[in-house]
Amino acid sequence: MAPLQHPARREPALPKTVVITGASDGTGAAAARLLVRDGHRVVAVGRSEAKTKAVADELGVHHFVADFADFADFADFADLHQVRTLAAQLADHCPRIDVLANNAGAILGDRHVTADGFEETFQVNYLVPFLLTNLLLDTLLASQALVVQTSSNAARLSARVDLDDLDNARNYSPVRAYGNAKLELVLFTRELHDRYHEQGLSAVAFHPGGVASNFAQTSRSPVGTLFRTPVPRLLFQSPQKAARQLLRFVTPTPEECVVSGAYYENGKPRTLKAPPIGPQLWEATTALLDLNKR
């Protein structure tokens, strides 16, 4: 891994163009507000047309809708075609993308297979950002962009990636499936760095900490039960505070040295005990998504 910034390109000229998924609520919406306040161009992506439009109208920015997960009806899960449509729309609308913030995610419940044939936690938290990033790769490379992945400490606390069971068919639990997907996201981040950093692309993953937001409130898991109580509002940080962690990567101060390819907790790189299967996971994922190899 290498420092994200170096003297040859310390900071792109302001304003930056930042695409944020999960921008209709919580940390994503808070980050969008802070970025616009600081003069950046934001493109808000969310699953709810009404909520995403409300945030976009408030900030005077463009928005797109992609229903990565229909949380109102878990029996009818959105397909990956919407991600492909979103990528085409973003490529048309944004000739330059300085930052892609893959912020959308969810912890779900009982094991469910999507219309695309994938376990839903695996799809929402890993396949969606992998697909969106790869479909936008030409624009990201041309822009010498930064990809920021919202991961979780579940990646080190409750994860064990099995290349022979990416769909979590064995020993399924909502927390384990979520942790697996977030660890896969960290491995994807490292691979982005290894494959494309020399071409100008940078990538980081981070754990935002506990956030008092609507995250998991519709989940069928015990975590969802917790989030439907007052406890998160009393003990967890605000979305605004979590958003500042995301902004630390988007607009680092001169004193900071953000490391491309790293996973962050509490503002510092943290080593994860994970098998060195990043290349194999990348190849397996491109095959699952029928992506052309680059």
Side-chain angles (χ1 to χ4, degrees):
M1 294 181 289
L4 187 156
Q5 289 151 350
H6 49 77
R9 56 179 190 91
R10 174 61 187 172
E11 280 283 338
L14 291 178
K16 293 181 179 178
T17 297
V18 184
V19 175
I20 307 178
T21 69
S24 62
D25 204 352
T27 302
R33 292 185 178 100
L34 292 174
L35 286 164
V36 169
R37 179 203 66 184
D38 291 343
H40 299 286
R41 293 186 294 263
V42 169
V43 179
V45 177
R47 69 176 184 89
S48 165
E49 169 64 34
K51 293 174 68 175
T52 309
K53 184 177 186 300
V55 171
D57 287 350
E58 170 197 338
L59 300 177
V61 303
H62 289 280
H63 77 283
F64 296 96
V65 175
D67 195 1
F68 298 155
D70 184 359
F71 296 113
D73 180 4
F74 283 94
D76 182 16
F77 198 86
D79 62 58
L80 291 173
H81 175 72
Q82 295 200 35
V83 182
R84 297 179 185 275
T85 300
L86 170 65
Q89 291 172 328
L90 289 171
D92 287 343
H93 177 72
C94 305
R96 178 182 182 89
I97 298 175
D98 295 296
V99 181
L100 171 61
N102 286 317
N103 173 69
I107 186 168
L108 303 172
D110 295 339
R111 188 176 186 276
H112 175 70
V113 176
T114 72
D116 297 291
F118 302 114
E119 189 273 314
E120 61 183 345
T121 307
F122 173 59
Q123 178 164 318
V124 171
N125 293 283
Y126 172 63
L127 290 182
V128 165
F130 187 100
L131 179 60
L132 182 61
T133 303
N134 274 273
L135 292 176
L136 291 173
L137 199 51
D138 288 340
T139 301
L140 296 172
L141 288 171
S143 306
Q144 293 197 323
L146 166 67
V147 179
V148 181
Q149 322 267 30
T150 302
S151 183
S152 168
N153 64 355
R156 63 178 175 83
L157 297 176
S158 56
R160 187 178 63 185
V161 175
D162 183 349
L163 291 172
D164 295 323
D165 187 31
L166 293 175
D167 257 353
N168 303 302
R170 298 191 293 269
N171 299 318
Y172 177 86
S173 78
V175 173
R176 179 178 295 166
Y178 180 73
N180 288 352
K182 292 304 187 180
L183 178 54
E184 289 154 4
L185 199 60
V186 172
L187 294 173
F188 170 44
T189 301
R190 292 178 182 173
E191 274 299 295
L192 275 173
H193 168 83
D194 289 346
R195 290 170 183 254
Y196 298 111
H197 190 63
E198 289 186 356
Q199 298 179 49
L201 184 71
S202 299
V204 293
F206 78 107
H207 168 54
V211 184
S213 69
N214 291 328
F215 172 79
Q217 285 196 358
T218 56
S219 171
R220 302 161 305 209
S221 71
V223 176
T225 302
L226 172 65
F227 268 80
R228 289 188 287 273
T229 72
V231 171
R233 305 286 175 181
L234 296 172
L235 299 181
F236 293 168
Q237 66 184 326
S238 67
Q240 291 74 22
K241 187 173 181 179
R244 292 189 187 99
Q245 295 188 53
L246 192 156
L247 264 66
R248 177 180 182 274
F249 304 111
V250 176
T251 55
T253 66
E255 294 77 21
E256 293 169 332
C257 182
V258 180
V259 179
S260 178
Y263 164 72
Y264 279 77
E265 285 187 22
N266 299 317
K268 298 179 180 179
R270 177 152 190 165
T271 300
L272 289 181
K273 294 181 180 179
I277 58 171
Q280 297 94 318
L281 179 62
W282 183 290
E283 296 303 324
T285 308
T286 57
L288 288 174
L289 296 172
D290 197 24
L291 286 168
N292 293 326
K293 294 183 180 180
R294 302 183 64 98

